[in-house]
Amino acid sequence: MRTPASALSPAARAAALDALSSEGEQDGPKHEGTELDVLVVGGGVVGAGTALDAVTRGLTTALVEQRDLASGTSSRSSKLVHGGLRYLEMLDFGLVREALQERGLLLTRLAPHLVRPVPFLYPLTRKGWERPYVGAGVALYDLMAMVGRYDMGVPKHRHLFRRQVARIAPDFRADKLSGAIRYYDCQVDDARLVLTIARTAAAHGAHVLTRTRVTGFLREGERVVGVRARDLETGRDLEIRARVVVNAAGVWTDEIQEMVGGRGALHVQASKGIHLVVPRDRIRSEAGFITKTAVSVLFVIPWGRHWIIGTTDTPWDLDKAHPAASRRDIDYVLEHVNEILREPLDHEDVVGVYAGLRPLLTGESEPTSKISREHTVVTPVPGLVMIAGGKLTTYRVMARDAIEAAAHSLRTTVSTTVRDSITDRVPLVGADGFETRSNQRVMLARRSGLHVARIDHLLGRYGGLVDDLLGLVAERPELGRPLEGAEDYLAAEVVYAVTHEAAQHLDDVLTRRTRVSFETFDRGAAAARAAAGLMAGELGWDEVRLEEEIDHYLRRVEAERRSQSMLTDHEADEARVQVRDIV
């Protein structure tokens, strides 16, 4: 099977290391590396989007990430592509309008294979004033989407009365309701979105390096001219020179600012949000739910054969790489969701739990739930652009603004011509051919020998790239079997994660390339050996390395379970950090 330019393969990583380094191995020959126009630090959704924006403007571009793509905030969100009804209530009209435009763009043009509409019910519990008040807000929400530059892409809202709510969502308590308003937003597998953006950037010529930690900045006088970095897989030190460095490190923004002497105008507050995953059959409903709590918004979101329920919104100043959900967090979510359910959920119903950190811009002593999700771009020293804040849905706007700031620096220092952003017209890899292959789903099932439901699953994850997966199955029929211990996925998806999606460790595959780590009761323990065995064949692991990967993953799962039994954040953090990253 021919390897496409978008493939983030082990060979592509090695080539990127050689191309970017201005230092060879410590004992090897020295050679001059490439001076980039733009180097992006951070492999979350904003960093990947920034790399894509830069490279499609014709700028030589690379991205470095100290862990895995989407290993932080961008794989632990509510997985919604939405305008944000709560921001409308906060009168943040600009943010809502912008986010709704981006929602329509992603759904209809950029990533129709990844983003899909989801119906939600907004419950009405008070007679009289509440229906016109909430109805006016949701009507404005739809209107903002309709008058934007891009297609709305979802149905309009509809008012429902108690009997209609009972038919749509029989497991929600209708006795306290006077009715509901059904409206639509969208959802996406956040980690897969990040990966797909990064692959699209690579397809257009960007270098993407994961497990590469920035250890310092290269300076010429005041100006930043690149970074010192270490390849964590090999221990190799390198210098990467760039005319502009863009920091998109999210909750690590303050740490990056410290590397330039603490000079920076941004201060980022990490806010923890946790989500619970429960089986779909525990809540009978054709739609999700959204309701307000005292300090946050509670979503009940359909997710394949599961529901995702969350979230919390509390300050976090402990380990940023591994935020931990405490027993108190879990109890809080269960308590509030049980207020709207006929049959209460308990801890035994919870399949998975994940916790993420939102990077919120601060400067005032406000609760994190009150801080807006607006983003800010600053240039604290020449040659360095920093961006922080924002939300998943508006990643493309943030990326555009970051490169606009970088472009100003490029134009004034090296007279480089920088074209306008075109990412609103650049579909992500997999978008091309998605509709055609969706129409051919039955034919693809017959040809491949896979059930049509498997084809639908692959189309929803890979879009037009489904041909790559089916090609693997044709070459190696054993890869068409379900992954042992996680039968929702095929063995081919594990192999493809290594050969095309930059997966280097078992955790990458079970946590982010698939979502096995929170979709199975055992958190992926039963699938660990089978998945590691498939990876070993592609990465050349020996038996010792194979066992190390399995052991690390199982210990990580156990550490997460222990942390979720602890009452406080500090106790949960102490339990979770007992198992660090494998490199």
Side-chain angles (χ1 to χ4, degrees), residues 476 494-495 498 503-506 509 528-547 549-550:
R476 300 164 59 183
V494 176
V495 172
V498 174
Q504 296 171 275
H505 296 281
L506 182 58
V509 169
R529 183 163 296 279
L534 290 164
M535 295 181 72
E538 303 302 320
L539 292 168
W541 293 347
D542 59 18
E543 191 65 27
V544 172
R545 174 65 184 276
L546 176 73
E547 295 299 329
E549 290 280 341
I550 296 170

Side-chain angles (χ1 to χ4, degrees), residues 97 100 137-148 152 157:
R97 182 175 60 83
L100 287 171
V138 178
L140 178 60
Y141 195 69
D142 278 354
L143 181 62
M144 285 181 169
M146 287 188 287
V147 300
M152 179 176 174
H157 74 282

Side-chain angles (χ1 to χ4, degrees), residues 205-228:
H207 294 296
V208 178
L209 278 176
T210 58
R211 300 291 181 343
T212 304
R213 176 181 294 158
V214 171
T215 57
F217 286 98
L218 302 176
R219 307 287 287 269
E220 290 181 359
E222 277 288 290
R223 186 172 188 83
V224 169
V225 295
V227 303
R228 288 185 297 276

Side-chain angles (χ1 to χ4, degrees), residues 157-185:
H157 74 282
R158 181 185 171 196
H159 284 258
L160 304 175
F161 295 96
R162 185 184 297 174
R163 285 186 181 179
Q164 294 168 300
V165 174
R167 285 197 298 269
I168 293 171
D171 277 352
F172 285 100
R173 293 180 59 181
D175 56 309
K176 292 186 177 181
L177 301 181
S178 61
I181 296 176
R182 183 175 63 192
Y183 76 99
Y184 283 79
D185 259 320

Side-chain angles (χ1 to χ4, degrees), residues 239-253:
E239 293 184 350
I240 305 174
R241 301 188 67 84
R243 295 184 176 95
V244 178
V245 176
V246 179
N247 172 49
V251 294
W252 282 272
T253 295

Side-chain angles (χ1 to χ4, degrees), residues 515-535:
R515 311 318 293 267
V516 172
S517 66
F518 67 69
E519 291 177 342
T520 58
F521 272 107
D522 66 1
R523 313 286 172 94
R529 183 163 296 279
L534 290 164
M535 295 181 72

